[in-house]
Amino acid sequence: MSEVSSQTLHIVARELASELNEARASLETFGEQQENLALLRKCNEHLHLVHGALRVAEVYGAALLAEEMGQVARYLIENFAEKRHLAEGLDALMRAMVQLPTYLERVLSGGRDMALVLLPLLNDLRAVRGHALLSEGTLLLLNLSSDQQANPQRSPEEAALSVAQWGRKLRPRFQLGLLGWIKGERVEQNLEVLARTAEKLEQVAAAQPVFQLWWVVGAVLEALRERGLEGSASIKRLLGHADREMRRLYESGEARYVDSPPLELLNNLLYYVARARSTGARVAAVRASFRLTDLLPVDDHIEEARESLSAPSVKLMKTVAAAIKEDLGRVKDALDIFVRQGGTQVDELAPQLELLKKIADTLGVLGLGQLRDKVQSETADLQTIVAQRSPASQGALLGIAATLIKVEDSLDEQLVGMIVPTAGESGAAPAKPSGPEDIEFRQVTEAVLRECIVNMARIKEAVAHSVEKPREAQAIDQIPPLVRGIIAGLVMLAKTRAAEVMEGIDRALAQFVRNDGLALPSEAVDRLADAIV
């Protein structure tokens, strides 16, 4: 997080705390009065304001959490009549309400802004809405091959059944145990039923993908039984996916099943095995065999450092960068092939949209908000091209590819820069002595930028007040001198690009001021607000 962003966060911290308290109060009251939808809507409005303020302050990890919280609140509002996933949604939202202020306090006190430490909570929020978990695919592409090989152990009677037939036979028991556990009925007994079912499939499996999946499912269940993991929405969803994999096994047969192994499910399950606080035999064996400690260390000191917002290992960041580049490469190759073949079958571009959305999610969790914005912008452009079903111009597609190349070029530097000092911090910057003049200039720069940020906040308040109460002109009168002060400060500091943007904002605000805020339609006011952000 840059120094200016840090100053912005300190300025808006009090207002953020107030909005979060209002959101939490509305949610708690809704928990007691679950027929009062207005309370949930009020909570969502406060979360929207929190998300906007965090985006302005460039605290991308906290902004991503607020964004996911708002998505869950909207999901609950839209499905209010059916009460769909209401209990899970309220539970995940309340935990997030507690975690977000804590996260912000740590960032304010100098901790790193990296949503990776919020990943379990983000997963739970996404699970409520049925969206893909962030621990799959690009973000944490763990080692998915182990040195533990399938070793079928069957008695002569058991050998009479194929693995697919075992899946059909065991699935009803697994389903009953899973349903009872999710409902909170006879928790210990149902977890034992699930564990025994997973163990039996692990024992009879002849193919490596089948063995690996149920061995890892067994490790997750062991951790749940030993209180090393909580029965969160994410884990419930993953065990539900495991149930569907059992059905796919007996419907397709083991030979066809292994042609498309459930790699994303395995990756997600391994993430939770790595996070488990228990050290049972099965958890320890899976960790060792899949070498999870290389990427997700689990000893107490590392866990404590992660909780205090220290960055993960350089090795993890390089692995993540390589995985993101691989996904970006797939999109660029698809665009290149599309252009070379004449670019007429626009539907062929549709699969790239999901891949770009996954890349954007990954960048958001890593705190790379600016790169995420670039990918999201290109995703929106590609979405428009696909939706219109008209031939895409070569220039538009090349523009998308060029942006993706820029994102790719920035990845290594930005990801590893989160962990190791930058050249400037480590003294590798230009070897110019830092004398009293440099220190004094830096102090002046910080003071001027601080004042610019304060003035910008006042402008936003004046615009908002004028929109709400157009007959009161006092707030509008403040705007021109505030704008002139910001432009003067930016010019003095040779911030040419920022000064040019501010001059454009000045022209739009001048029209707003001349007409007492009445001439601009709401869409124009929204665009003006976006420009100020």
Side-chain angles (χ1 to χ4, degrees):
M1 193 162 117
S2 70
E3 191 151 351
V4 174
S5 301
S6 177
Q7 292 164 358
T8 308
L9 180 58
H10 279 80
I11 290 168
V12 302
R14 186 177 299 176
E15 187 62 30
L16 273 172
S18 173
E19 293 292 344
L20 281 170
N21 286 337
E22 291 288 343
R24 183 172 179 176
S26 298
L27 187 66
E28 287 175 346
T29 310
F30 176 75
E32 299 165 359
Q33 305 171 22
Q34 294 190 8
E35 298 305 316
N36 191 347
L37 184 58
L39 289 167
L40 195 53
R41 287 202 173 102
K42 185 179 178 183
C43 172
N44 186 38
E45 288 168 7
H46 288 297
L47 286 173
H48 181 70
L49 292 172
V50 168
H51 175 245
L54 290 169
R55 291 285 300 170
V56 171
E58 298 180 12
V59 190
Y60 293 113
L64 182 64
L65 180 56
E67 181 182 328
E68 293 292 344
M69 291 165 71
Q71 298 266 25
V72 169
R74 284 193 292 278
Y75 176 85
L76 296 180
I77 291 168
E78 290 165 3
N79 297 279
F80 185 69
E82 300 90 4
K83 299 288 192 292
R84 188 180 302 166
H85 298 157
L86 183 60
E88 289 178 358
L90 288 178
D91 174 65
L93 276 176
M94 279 308 304
R95 286 187 286 118
M97 287 288 185
V98 173
Q99 186 68 44
L100 183 52
T102 305
Y103 183 90
L104 284 172
E105 284 174 15
R106 289 174 175 175
V107 175
L108 277 165
S109 61
R112 292 178 185 268
D113 171 34
M114 184 177 288
L116 200 57
V117 298
L118 301 170
L119 190 56
L121 186 51
L122 290 166
N123 270 351
D124 288 349
L125 290 165
R126 292 174 74 92
V128 170
R129 300 185 291 124
H131 278 231
L133 304 187
L134 290 168
S135 54
E136 65 189 29
T138 305
L139 178 61
L140 287 174
L141 190 59
L142 303 176
N143 171 42
L144 298 183
S145 60
S146 70
D147 53 14
Q148 184 82 10
Q149 298 299 309
N151 182 23
Q153 300 172 10
R154 309 187 200 178
S155 64
E157 297 81 12
E158 292 174 335
L161 294 178
S162 68
V163 174
Q165 288 170 325
W166 271 108
R168 186 183 293 276
K169 178 180 179 180
L170 292 171
R171 191 181 179 215
R173 289 178 57 197
F174 191 86
Q175 285 183 315
L176 286 172
L178 182 59
L179 185 62
W181 174 66
I182 288 174
K183 288 182 174 180
E185 300 168 353
R186 298 184 298 118
V187 171
E188 294 300 327
Q189 295 93 318
N190 280 314
L191 281 175
E192 183 179 358
V193 168
L194 292 171
R196 287 184 176 178
T197 307
E199 184 179 13
K200 176 55 70 176
L201 267 177
E202 170 203 326
Q203 289 174 351
V204 300
Q208 189 68 4
V210 179
F211 162 75
Q212 280 193 164
L213 174 63
W214 291 100
W215 185 39
V216 175
V217 168
V220 169
L221 290 166
E222 179 191 81
L224 287 168
R225 295 177 73 186
E226 295 182 358
R227 307 289 190 274
L229 285 173
E230 296 176 5
S232 64
S234 302
I235 291 180
K236 289 173 183 174
R237 181 178 169 189
L238 292 175
L239 291 177
H241 285 326
D243 167 64
R244 289 195 284 278
E245 286 301 317
M246 208 183 303
R247 183 183 68 184
R248 191 165 72 90
L249 173 63
Y250 68 69
E251 286 181 347
S252 61
E254 190 174 23
R256 286 177 57 197
Y257 180 87
V258 299
D259 290 338
S260 55
L263 298 180
E264 286 192 346
L265 175 58
L266 182 63
N267 195 74
N268 269 312
L269 290 167
L270 286 171
Y271 169 72
Y272 283 97
V273 173
R275 287 197 72 253
R277 295 180 300 276
S278 57
T279 53
R282 197 173 290 264
V283 167
V286 168
R287 279 179 182 158
S289 185
F290 285 90
R291 301 186 295 284
L292 297 182
T293 49
D294 289 352
L295 293 179
L296 295 171
V298 291
D299 68 60
D300 292 340
H301 294 297
I302 300 242
E303 195 62 34
E304 184 179 337
R306 186 185 295 141
E307 285 300 316
S308 65
L309 308 190
S310 292
S313 66
V314 173
K315 184 174 182 179
L316 173 59
M317 289 295 97
K318 287 183 176 178
T319 302
V320 171
I324 296 173
K325 286 179 180 178
E326 185 176 334
D327 284 347
L328 286 169
R330 287 184 196 143
V331 177
K332 289 186 298 179
D333 290 346
L335 293 176
D336 181 51
I337 292 169
F338 182 81
V339 170
R340 289 174 186 273
Q341 291 179 345
T344 55
Q345 300 299 318
V346 180
D347 288 343
E348 293 175 4
L349 295 173
Q352 311 314 316
L353 291 171
E354 285 305 313
L355 194 51
L356 284 171
K357 287 174 184 174
K358 185 175 80 167
I359 293 168
D361 285 339
T362 302
L363 294 170
V365 174
L366 293 168
L368 302 179
Q370 291 173 335
L371 295 185
R372 182 195 187 212
D373 289 345
K374 290 180 181 178
V375 173
Q376 285 183 322
S377 175
E378 300 307 329
T379 305
D381 290 346
L382 191 60
Q383 177 86 56
T384 303
I385 291 170
V386 172
Q388 290 175 345
R389 294 182 175 275
S390 57
S393 73
Q394 184 173 341
L397 295 175
L398 291 176
I400 294 172
T403 301
L404 298 182
I405 290 171
K406 289 177 184 175
V407 171
E408 188 176 1
D409 290 343
S410 304
L411 265 177
D412 285 324
E413 179 184 352
Q414 293 204 29
L415 278 175
V416 179
M418 292 175 169
I419 301 159
V420 297
T422 61
E425 291 169 337
S426 61
K432 180 182 176 182
S434 179
E437 297 85 358
D438 294 326
I439 295 171
E440 186 176 343
F441 179 74
R442 189 163 61 246
Q443 289 171 343
V444 170
T445 300
E446 291 171 3
V448 172
L449 288 176
R450 227 178 356 252
E451 190 61 30
C452 287
I453 291 166
V454 171
N455 284 356
M456 188 68 81
R458 289 172 181 160
I459 290 171
K460 286 188 282 188
E461 287 175 9
V463 172
H465 185 78
S466 301
V467 171
E468 290 174 8
K469 300 178 181 178
R471 296 187 182 278
E472 297 181 12
Q474 301 93 324
I476 291 183
D477 295 338
Q478 302 175 25
I479 293 176
L482 290 172
V483 173
R484 285 196 297 271
I486 293 175
I487 293 174
L490 293 172
V491 170
M492 183 184 77
L493 297 177
K495 306 289 185 184
T496 310
R497 174 65 183 142
E500 289 172 359
V501 173
M502 198 63 218
E503 285 169 356
I505 291 172
D506 182 29
R507 288 190 291 273
L509 284 172
Q511 182 186 353
F512 186 80
V513 170
R514 277 197 303 272
N515 296 279
D516 290 339
L518 299 175
L520 296 180
S522 60
E523 294 84 359
V525 175
D526 288 343
R527 287 199 298 274
L528 177 59
D530 289 340
I532 292 174
V533 170

